[in-house]
Amino acid sequence: WADMKIIKLNALLPSRCVGIICSVLTLIAAGMFKWRDIVPTSDNDNSKTKAFVNSFSSLSNSLPGGSGEVPDLPPFLTTLSKDDDDYDDLYNIMTKYALKSEGVGGFKEAEIVAFTREHVSYRLYGGKAELCGHWWTMDSPSGTSEDFDEHFAVCPEWNDATTIGHCTVPPGYKAIVGIGQTATCADGEVLDPPASVLQLYGDVCAITDIVCTFCSAHQFSLETSACV
C-alpha cells in the first residue's frame, strides 16, 4: 500500500450541439434515409462516411428497427432521456470524440447514460496517457497489462499502462458507454475488443470533489495492484 496515493480532481466539460446530425436523425426516424444509399466518391469521403454511419448506428437502438448491438446496460446505469438538459451536449461529444471508424479505437456503438448509483470506475494509464483522460473501464482490471490492451483495444504506443487510477462515480453522473472499435497499432496488429464489454467515455476528473485513488500497476497481475 506504500505506493498508493489519493487525489481530488476538478475540470470542465466541453459542450455544444451539431444541428445537421439532429436533422438527419429526424429523417432516419421518418424512414426516409437508408445507410446503403450513401456512396462515397473518394477514399476521403469513404472515411468520413464510415464515421458518419457509426455516429448514428449507436442511437438507432431507440428507433424502430434499431440495430440493438449495444449490450444490456448494467444495473448501475440507465439510458439518459433525450429530454434531459445535458443530452444534446453529450450527443455532440459522442459523435465528435467517442464514435470512430474502424482501426482507430474509440467506440463502434455507444449510448448516453446516467449512473443510478455509486460505482467505481478504473483507468489504466502511463506514458502519453494521463490520469485525467476520458476512457475508463467499469470493472476492475485483471490479467496482464497486455491482456488489458487486447481487451480494450489499447495500442501500446498510446498507453504505457504503468499506473491504475480508480474513482468513485456518484449517482446522477452522465456519460457515454459503448462497445470498443477496432484499433490498428503501429506494429500492424489489429486489436478487436469483445462486443460484450462496455467501456466508459466521460470527463470523470471533472466531477466536483471526486476522490480518486491511484497506484502502480502490477504489469503481470493487474488484480494484485494495491488500489484494485
Side-chain angles (χ1 to χ4, degrees), residues 69-161:
E69 293 181 29
V70 175
D72 291 337
L73 294 176
F76 56 87
L77 295 177
T78 186
T79 301
L80 188 68
S81 169
K82 293 181 181 179
D83 295 327
D84 189 276
D85 291 341
D86 295 320
Y87 184 90
D88 287 345
D89 288 343
L90 287 166
Y91 180 81
N92 180 39
I93 292 169
M94 179 179 71
T95 55
K96 186 175 182 179
Y97 299 109
L99 285 161
K100 301 291 183 181
S101 55
E102 294 178 3
V104 296
F107 287 148
K108 66 172 67 173
E109 300 284 344
E111 190 168 350
I112 301 171
V113 300
F115 281 71
T116 60
R117 64 175 186 243
E118 189 177 87
H119 185 78
V120 175
S121 293
Y122 295 83
R123 179 169 165 80
L124 193 61
Y125 65 98
K128 295 179 180 178
E130 299 179 351
L131 169 60
C132 285
H134 285 71
W135 296 97
W136 298 73
T137 71
M138 293 178 287
D139 294 309
S140 58
S142 61
T144 66
S145 56
E146 185 175 334
D147 292 335
F148 180 88
D149 289 347
E150 294 177 356
H151 203 59
F152 294 99
V154 178
C155 291
E157 63 268 22
W158 300 347
N159 191 335
D160 288 353

Side-chain angles (χ1 to χ4, degrees), residues 6 24 27 43 50 60 83 88 128 161 163 184 192 197 225:
I6 296 176
V24 176
L27 292 177
D43 289 342
K50 284 183 178 179
S60 62
D83 295 327
D88 287 345
K128 295 179 180 178
T163 307
T184 303
D192 189 4
V197 176
S225 303

